[in-house]
Amino acid sequence: MLGRTLVRRCKAGLLDSASGLRCSPVAVCCRSTHNQPNDPNAVGGLPRFAGPTTMMRLPFTAGDASGLDACFLGVPMDWATCNRPGSRFGPRNVRCESTLLRPYNTSTGAAPFESLQVADIGDVPVNPYSISKSVQIIEDFVSRLGACRPLGIGGDHTVTLPILRALAKKHGKMALIHVDAHSDTESSMFGEEVAHGTTFYRACVEGLIDPTRSTQIGLRGGDYGPGDYDWTKQQGFHMVWATDCWFKSLAPLMETVRDRVGQQPVYLSFDIDSLDPSIAPGTGTPEIGGLTTPQALEIIRGARGLNVVGCDLVEVSPPYDVSGMTAITAANLLFEMLCILPGVKYRD
């Protein structure tokens, strides 16, 4: 696949027969030839505010992950949220703001596009009238990615569950680095077993993750009673409260997290509401007293060297993001996640 040029001309309303994905009205996107990694800058010399609005203006492959080491995929689902909706529009806005990004990470020396083949494979064709059908569609979609490591763009936090189900078929039980204001370990919400607040309860009881190797960072906010976190603690999760992160670097914490994960395959799930709402107001369940963006960078960069098998960034709700800063922050964090995947080369 990489040895030939793959061109898809996407027009509004055109349905790709191979993937079932409806293409967005963007310009022609070409996969690179001669086995060279895709270059986000290869868009005909256009300035960054022009050209296709794929993630970082990467080639769009309409659900095709063949030959890719990593891929960005949108999961535009928000009908399992309990509060402010709107994260169904998250993937579109994060992609739009990602055109501001550049391909080299000056701070860390990471050059992901010199070492990995990466593309934007589009959105999962979820069913906006059914939680259960959407969850199955997401699981099936990710199961077809093969060796490609997914970087999901949500969508509410429900979308992580089917991604974990798909990855567990290949990797077995995984460690989890979960950055969030909420533990999302409710057994049910309004009688429903699958919702954005039950994701990691279900992942735990289904054997998808190993809580004794997992860490939740940034927890805060009010609860319904003093025993709300008892079950989570009993499973062995390492729970890090936001108040324990105030006024300090999280680099030492990440040393503990790395030791806890060890050689286990690990999944990184980042809810944008882990950040303080003064930084990222565009989300469905904001909680004051959150993490800062430097701390977010320390967390993600601190996962470098681990066997990261997938990542996601969820709960960006554009209707509440009037300045676009939440989406810009999310795009930057997704790039940082790409930079810590196995196989990325670092320049001295």
Side-chain angles (χ1 to χ4, degrees):
M1 181 64 74
L2 296 181
R4 72 175 189 268
T5 302
L6 179 65
V7 179
R8 284 187 170 85
R9 298 178 182 272
C10 299
K11 298 179 181 179
L14 179 63
L15 189 67
D16 185 276
S17 59
S19 66
L21 295 182
R22 192 167 294 277
C23 302
S24 57
V26 298
V28 175
C29 300
C30 303
R31 187 177 285 187
S32 68
T33 58
H34 309 300
N35 296 318
Q36 294 297 313
N38 292 325
D39 181 0
N41 291 322
V43 287
L46 291 170
R48 285 181 292 149
F49 53 80
T53 52
T54 58
M55 187 67 186
M56 296 187 70
R57 303 195 300 179
L58 283 162
F60 169 67
T61 66
D64 180 8
S66 58
L68 298 179
D69 299 303
C71 67
F72 293 100
L73 70 153
V75 196
M77 172 184 173
D78 69 357
W79 34 101
T81 188
C82 67
N83 196 23
R84 306 192 305 188
S87 61
R88 67 181 66 186
F89 303 112
R92 178 177 295 177
N93 279 49
V94 171
R95 285 183 173 112
C96 182
E97 301 297 353
S98 76
T99 61
L100 289 167
L101 302 180
R102 301 172 180 86
Y104 175 65
N105 193 322
T106 304
S107 298
T108 67
F113 300 107
E114 294 180 8
S115 42
L116 300 182
Q117 187 66 290
V118 187
D120 185 333
I121 66 171
D123 289 342
V124 180
V126 289
N127 184 332
Y129 297 101
S130 173
I131 294 174
S132 60
K133 289 180 180 179
S134 292
V135 166
Q136 188 61 58
I137 289 167
I138 297 165
E139 180 182 345
D140 293 343
F141 188 99
V142 177
S143 295
R144 294 192 295 267
L145 297 183
C148 179
R149 298 175 193 256
L151 296 116
I153 315 170
D156 71 51
H157 222 149
T158 311
V159 307
T160 303
L161 178 60
I163 295 174
L164 290 173
R165 286 173 173 170
L167 293 179
K169 297 173 186 176
K170 177 180 179 181
H171 301 287
K173 187 175 290 188
M174 295 164 282
L176 174 72
I177 300 174
H178 174 206
V179 191
D180 201 329
H182 315 95
S183 71
D184 293 350
T185 52
E186 297 285 342
S187 59
S188 66
M189 299 184 75
F190 290 89
E192 297 295 326
E193 292 187 350
V194 176
H196 77 154
T198 69
T199 294
F200 299 110
Y201 176 88
R202 296 248 53 89
C204 188
V205 299
E206 292 179 20
L208 310 178
I209 59 174
D210 182 351
T212 66
R213 292 184 177 272
S214 300
T215 302
Q216 298 183 312
I217 306 171
L219 302 171
R220 64 191 189 277
D223 292 296
Y224 295 102
D228 282 1
Y229 291 104
D230 287 353
W231 183 90
T232 312
K233 294 174 183 177
Q234 291 166 5
Q235 307 315 302
F237 282 95
H238 178 206
M239 305 180 73
V240 181
W241 306 96
T243 49
D244 295 326
C245 300
W246 289 356
F247 315 117
K248 66 177 68 172
S249 167
L250 298 188
L253 168 65
M254 291 311 296
E255 293 180 9
T256 302
V257 171
R258 286 195 300 272
D259 289 342
R260 187 177 179 87
V261 171
Q263 300 301 312
Q264 192 94 347
V266 60
Y267 187 86
L268 172 60
S269 185
F270 198 110
D271 189 324
I272 201 69
D273 73 21
S274 62
L275 302 180
D276 191 83
S278 63
I279 299 168
T283 191
T285 315
E287 305 281 1
I288 64 169
L291 304 177
T292 66
T293 46
Q295 290 175 323
L297 294 176
E298 287 181 316
I299 293 169
I300 297 172
R301 293 173 182 178
R304 177 185 172 187
L306 297 176
N307 182 18
V308 179
V309 297
C311 309
D312 64 49
L313 189 296
V314 298
E315 298 284 3
V316 173
S317 181
Y320 300 97
D321 188 26
V322 294
S323 69
M325 283 307 302
T326 309
I328 292 171
T329 301
N332 276 273
L333 295 180
L334 280 160
F335 174 63
E336 292 285 340
M337 293 176 192
L338 175 65
C339 289
I340 56 95
L341 291 184
V344 171
K345 295 178 181 177
Y346 281 74
R347 295 179 181 176
D348 295 332

